[in-house]
Amino acid sequence: MAKSVADVMKLVQENECKFVDFRFTDTRGKEQHVSVPVSHFDEDKFSDGHAFDGSSIAGWKGIEASDMLLMPDPATAHIDPFYEESTLVLSCDVLEPGDGKAYERDPRSLARRAEAYLKASGIGDTAFFGPEPEFFVFDNVRWSTEPGHSFYHIEEYEAPWNSGAKLEGGNRGHRPTTKGGYFPVAPVDSTHDMRAEMALVLEAMGIPVEVFHHEVAGAGQMELGTKFSTLVERADWTQRLKHVVWNVADRYGKTATFMPKPYHGDNGSGMHVHQSIWKGGKNLFAGNGYAGLSDTALFYIGGIIKHARALNAITNPTTNSYKRLVPHFEAPVKLAYSSRNRSASIRIPHVMSDKARRIEARFPDPMANPYLCFSALLMAGLDGIENKIHPGEAASKDLYHLPPEEDKLVPTVCHSLDQALEELDKDRAFLTRGGVFTDSMLDAYIELKMSEVNRIRVQVNPAEYDMYYSL
């Protein structure tokens, strides 16, 4: 991986690059890009930046103040493995051209502010994150949202509903059952080679892969586990992982999605987020308390639980997210913590070393913008540490199957995006400390996301015909 401007220029020369791709992430978490021929790329780009029109990015600038700058980060330089012509990729921060300051709504710049706030707080100097984004891969997908014609249709050889289908080339019969994808060998698991290629591409791009496997849902759900890193770098890697998943799947003639719930009746996709705070090379989450945790770690958990409903607007930022977070469907909706207990929304993984001591938030999903998601979780945890918010007793029971009188005593995450946005609007002070998030950014975020809520509100669902047409 290149670490300096000189390294980048050497990388360009050694790989005979013909183009340079400047990439940044918008509010919704989608990576955007603009390319220049290598003849228009030199060392000055790292000080002058590259101009672009910010008014075309949803939730950003108005047309009257649209000029913005992309400032490439040399530490992110890598060669894109999918373009036909050799192309160097650089992740960028977004700056205001007038004063050169970071744009307050740029997710990557915001994540940098979160890291700076941690150091300024004196609590720690490094926050490590390890997300586990799950995803589905299908053979084909179609949908329509026309006023008189609304549907989605998934075609996937592995889908359990295909056991009786007559398929071109024959139906070989070996496929996962509903909730049976974790994790039989081939030929039931038919996508190993594709995941292996994804893993090799990620490793070649400098992202260490620790594990890959089929996930629980039958119709092509899977996961690539990659190594933890610091907040901004780990968010960069998450964006890169999505790019690799989409493009390798495409090369296999398939289509990948990170939607939490692309179809009902089977497990949805989450993004469990492992977290720890360090200072001076020491893991502050290791201690002599419950499951080997320190008071610092317990207070961090307390902060996440306290602010979980506001966090939902960022960690679970789509209407589809709440198709996964439904009580009594083995979803991590219960705001409790426990060692090894996967029914709690915060789990303490069993580890052999204090260096690996960490907590795992299980309610986020892969629709989350990783820069905003990790920053928000960190800010909630730091609020818990600063205010010594204890999370109470750990959960020892299966929270999915509690008696009704006990079930109602355990708080839950939000049940819808509009509820989460209301909670975020009310509970935002922990995010705006140190100017990490700003009120202006949060107002724009809520407005952007409410437009999604309202679109779904007016959309007629085919299930409503099933329930109401003949009443």
Side-chain angles (χ1 to χ4, degrees):
M1 296 294 288
K3 295 298 180 185
S4 69
V5 173
D7 292 331
V8 174
M9 303 313 294
K10 184 178 180 182
L11 197 61
V12 168
Q13 187 175 27
E14 289 177 344
N15 289 274
E16 298 182 353
C17 292
K18 295 181 180 177
F19 300 98
V20 176
D21 217 31
F22 299 114
R23 295 187 186 170
F24 66 100
T25 298
D26 68 14
T27 301
R28 287 192 174 103
K30 185 64 178 176
E31 208 170 27
Q32 310 284 341
H33 75 133
V34 60
S35 306
V36 299
V38 74
S39 59
H40 283 69
F41 176 76
D42 57 25
E43 292 90 340
D44 290 343
K45 282 289 185 184
F46 294 95
S47 55
D48 297 344
H50 182 83
F52 76 106
D53 175 10
S55 68
S56 297
I57 307 300
W60 282 18
K61 291 279 192 173
I63 198 166
E64 75 283 355
S66 58
D67 290 347
M68 307 194 78
L69 287 177
L70 294 174
M71 190 58 67
D73 181 349
T76 65
H78 64 279
I79 304 300
D80 190 287
F82 304 107
Y83 290 149
E84 186 172 336
E85 300 293 349
S86 182
T87 302
L88 181 88
V89 176
L90 289 161
S91 296
C92 299
D93 297 314
V94 180
L95 307 184
E96 296 278 12
D99 54 17
K101 291 182 180 179
Y103 179 44
E104 62 167 343
R105 299 184 192 179
D106 168 38
R108 194 170 192 269
S109 297
L110 187 152
R112 286 188 183 276
R113 293 197 296 272
E115 288 188 317
Y117 180 81
L118 169 63
K119 292 178 182 178
S121 72
I123 293 171
D125 51 39
T126 308
F128 286 115
F129 286 81
E132 300 175 332
E134 298 165 341
F135 56 95
F136 284 85
V137 176
F138 303 135
D139 288 322
N140 188 37
V141 62
R142 297 181 292 118
W143 68 85
S144 171
T145 58
E146 297 300 320
H149 189 75
S150 180
F151 74 94
Y152 70 87
H153 184 84
I154 294 167
E155 294 175 14
E156 167 51 39
Y157 181 84
E158 284 191 349
W161 59 80
N162 272 331
S163 60
K166 292 183 178 180
L167 303 174
E168 186 177 347
N171 191 332
R172 296 181 297 281
H174 297 290
R175 59 176 50 84
T177 59
T178 299
K179 296 182 180 294
Y182 192 87
F183 30 45
V185 297
V188 175
D189 174 7
S190 65
T191 50
H192 172 87
D193 288 341
M194 181 178 61
R195 291 195 303 276
E197 183 167 335
M198 291 172 180
L200 290 172
V201 172
L202 285 166
E203 293 257 324
M205 294 168 74
I207 301 175
V209 176
E210 297 181 332
V211 65
F212 58 92
H213 55 84
H214 204 289
E215 261 297 346
V216 175
Q221 189 187 35
M222 53 198 71
E223 180 183 320
L224 290 160
T226 49
K227 191 176 180 180
F228 69 91
S229 191
T230 53
L231 193 158
V232 172
E233 182 169 67
R234 188 52 261 204
D236 288 342
W237 287 2
T238 302
Q239 296 296 76
R240 216 170 294 170
L241 180 146
K242 286 186 171 184
H243 182 68
V244 168
V245 166
W246 283 319
N247 283 280
V248 171
D250 187 68
R251 287 193 168 184
Y252 273 73
K254 297 176 80 75
T255 176
T257 181
F258 289 88
M259 281 179 68
K261 201 77 171 178
Y263 67 91
H264 67 275
D266 214 332
N267 280 38
S269 291
M271 184 176 72
H272 307 152
V273 182
H274 297 253
Q275 303 155 69
S276 62
I277 294 178
W278 291 56
K279 187 175 185 178
K282 180 182 178 182
N283 185 359
L284 301 184
F285 279 17
N288 299 314
Y290 176 79
L293 295 181
S294 65
D295 285 343
T296 297
L298 289 171
F299 294 147
Y300 189 97
I301 292 171
I304 290 179
I305 290 177
K306 177 183 177 181
H307 298 295
R309 288 193 158 207
L311 288 171
N312 284 153
I314 295 170
T315 60
N316 308 90
T318 69
T319 58
N320 188 255
S321 299
Y322 299 88
K323 309 292 185 185
R324 166 180 171 257
L325 295 177
V326 179
H328 311 301
F329 281 87
E330 297 192 358
V333 299
K334 291 294 185 180
L335 292 172
Y337 72 101
S338 184
S339 173
R340 297 188 288 175
N341 184 347
R342 283 176 163 80
S343 67
S345 60
I346 297 178
R347 186 176 75 100
I348 319 304
H350 175 70
V351 297
M352 303 300 293
S353 163
D354 279 347
K355 287 185 176 181
R357 198 74 58 196
R358 61 193 186 274
I359 68 127
E360 174 195 8
R362 295 176 64 78
F363 55 84
D365 68 55
M367 284 286 95
N369 181 322
Y371 301 101
L372 303 183
C373 175
F374 305 159
S375 299
L377 287 167
L378 176 62
M379 296 301 288
L382 290 177
D383 184 62
I385 295 169
E386 290 167 344
N387 293 290
K388 293 183 168 52
I389 302 171
H390 199 279
E393 294 299 315
S396 57
K397 296 182 179 180
D398 179 356
L399 298 174
Y400 296 149
H401 301 99
L402 290 176
E405 63 274 13
E406 292 183 39
D407 184 66
K408 66 182 181 182
L409 298 176
V410 184
T412 64
V413 297
C414 289
H415 60 71
S416 65
L417 180 56
D418 51 324
Q419 183 188 39
L421 293 169
E422 289 175 6
E423 295 289 339
L424 175 61
D425 199 22
K426 292 186 294 185
D427 180 21
R428 59 167 71 187
F430 74 98
L431 293 170
T432 58
R433 290 193 181 121
V436 176
F437 289 76
T438 65
D439 283 316
S440 172
M441 181 271 170
L442 291 172
D443 288 341
Y445 181 86
I446 292 169
E447 181 180 2
L448 181 68
K449 287 295 169 179
M450 275 305 299
S451 68
E452 298 174 18
V453 170
N454 288 329
R455 181 176 178 190
I456 295 302
R457 277 178 173 166
V458 301
Q459 184 74 38
V460 177
N461 190 311
E464 293 173 300
Y465 274 78
D466 210 26
M467 294 187 290
Y468 307 132
Y469 190 80
S470 293
L471 288 183

